[in-house]
């Protein structure tokens, strides 16, 4: 039912899925950035998910095979995703895509890329406006590793809390160190902690998400040597949750998925609140039994999870409503 085409744009592989049936009108265009902590994963790993979206949404889906760190150093992944987005936006006619119906999406770190690309495009006068961003269990901040979801799901597969720190170092092409200090947030200067407490704090997380054994952490002191090795995680690309209100209020309508058994759950909850506080319409789907990375199993027969299917069907329903 699909025409599938591979091409390269500035050395970045793209796989483009188009419905075979002739378009009755202009179609939606969906850019998809896969998860994998910026260090693994590929177009192939999310083949089934992208086919499903293209068929069920009668849309053109562009899966972006951004180059991986550490071989392709951070923040090159953002440049790759931006270049792919610009190529697609400038060639909409070729794919029969409506410029008013462009959706930028991704899962995990791919959802981080999606929202950062939306930030980058805000001042692009000569390009179509993004219609919506679709963020599937996004990772959006490196400021607080003691949020309730980080505590509750620290040992839940497939993304343990220590693995998050390990992948951060691998992504930034640095030797892993100071694991415990970073988990205790010793990498965050006091001035920064106070400045961003209004946006990133367990106090903002709804009480129903704290009942599963959350314990408020004891205060810890800032350690400059830890900050030096981990300071990139506090930057705006790595932590788009820290963007100013003047940026957040301009972002497109958003669809957000969070999973209960996911260390990154609270990143999504905090971003949802920030968007809503800034007048951005948010459609939220919370998977009560979902875990981080569940969509990597989507479409793989006996390895597929019902929760993953429900997430995808909810996502498809949202896209079809646009």
């Amino acid at each position: 039912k699909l025409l599938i085409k591979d091409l390269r744009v500035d050395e970045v592989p793209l796989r483009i899925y188009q419905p075979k049936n002739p378009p009755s009108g202009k179609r939606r265009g969906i850019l998809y950035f896969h998860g994998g902590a910026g260090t693994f994963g590929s177009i192939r790993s999310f083949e089934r998910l992208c086919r499903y979206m293209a068929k069920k949404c009668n849309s053109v889906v562009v899966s972006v095979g951004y180059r991986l760190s550490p071989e392709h150093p951070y923040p090159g992944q953002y440049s790759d995703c931006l270049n792919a987005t610009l190529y697609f936006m400038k060639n909409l006619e070729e794919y029969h895509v409506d410029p008013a119906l462009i959706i930028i999406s991704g899962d995990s770190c791919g959802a981080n890329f999606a929202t950062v690309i939306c930030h980058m495009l805000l001042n692009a006068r000569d390009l179509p406006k993004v219609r919506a961003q679709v963020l599937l269990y996004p990772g959006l901040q490196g400021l607080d590793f003691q949020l309730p979801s980080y505590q509750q799901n620290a040992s839940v597969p497939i993304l343990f809390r220590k693995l998050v720190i390990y992948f951060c170092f691998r992504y930034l092409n640095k030797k892993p160190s100071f694991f415990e200090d970073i988990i205790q947030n010793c990498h965050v200067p006091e001035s920064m902690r106070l400045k961003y407490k209004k946006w990133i704090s367990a106090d903002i997380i709804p009480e129903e998400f704290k009942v599963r054994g959350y314990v408020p952490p004891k205060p810890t002191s800032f350690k400059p040597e830890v900050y030096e090795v981990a300071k990139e995680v506090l930057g705006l690309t790595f932590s788009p949750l820290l963007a100013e209100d003047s940026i957040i209020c301009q972002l497109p309508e958003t669809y957000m998925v969070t999973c209960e058994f996911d260390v990154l759950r609270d990143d999504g909850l905090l971003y949802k609140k920030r968007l809503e506080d800034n007048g951005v319409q948010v459609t939220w789907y919370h998977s009560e039994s979902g875990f981080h990375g569940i969509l990597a199993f989507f479409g793989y027969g006996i390895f597929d999870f019902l929760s993953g299917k429900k997430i995808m069907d909810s996502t498809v329903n949202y896209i079809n409503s646009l």
Side-chain angles (χ1 to χ4, degrees), residues 107-121:
D107 69 284
S108 191
C109 75
N112 171 296
F113 300 160
T115 200
V116 171
I117 297 305
C118 286
H119 291 189
M120 290 176 170
L121 293 173

Side-chain angles (χ1 to χ4, degrees), residues 27-31 59-62 88 92 97-98 101-104:
R27 289 191 166 116
R28 297 177 195 84
I30 304 170
L31 284 135
S59 299
V60 178
V61 175
V62 180
F88 186 50
L92 298 178
V97 167
D98 185 341
L101 285 175
I102 295 172
I103 295 143
I104 297 186

Side-chain angles (χ1 to χ4, degrees), residues 161-176:
R161 177 163 59 178
K162 279 196 173 174
L163 261 184
V164 174
I165 313 295
Y166 170 78
F167 283 134
C168 286
F169 277 107
R170 184 171 163 77
Y171 182 41
L172 298 169
N173 202 10
K174 292 188 170 188
K175 191 176 175 185

Side-chain angles (χ1 to χ4, degrees), residues 31-38 46 64 66 78 81 104-119 132-141 171 236-241 251 254-258 262 264 267-268 271 275 292 295:
L31 284 135
Y32 191 81
F33 308 130
H34 67 79
F46 287 82
V64 180
Y66 56 85
Y78 296 92
C81 290
I104 297 186
S105 65
D107 69 284
S108 191
C109 75
N112 171 296
F113 300 160
T115 200
V116 171
I117 297 305
C118 286
H119 291 189
Q133 54 177 356
V134 170
L135 311 178
L136 311 172
Y137 42 76
L140 299 166
Q141 60 88 32
Y171 182 41
L236 283 182
T237 44
F238 201 99
S239 296
L241 195 42
L251 289 171
T254 302
Y255 173 81
M256 175 93 65
V257 167
T258 53
D262 178 5
L264 302 184
D267 285 24
Y271 200 48
L275 289 163
H292 193 82
L295 295 177

Side-chain angles (χ1 to χ4, degrees), residues 34 85 181 207:
H34 67 79
T85 304
D181 285 328
E207 288 304 314

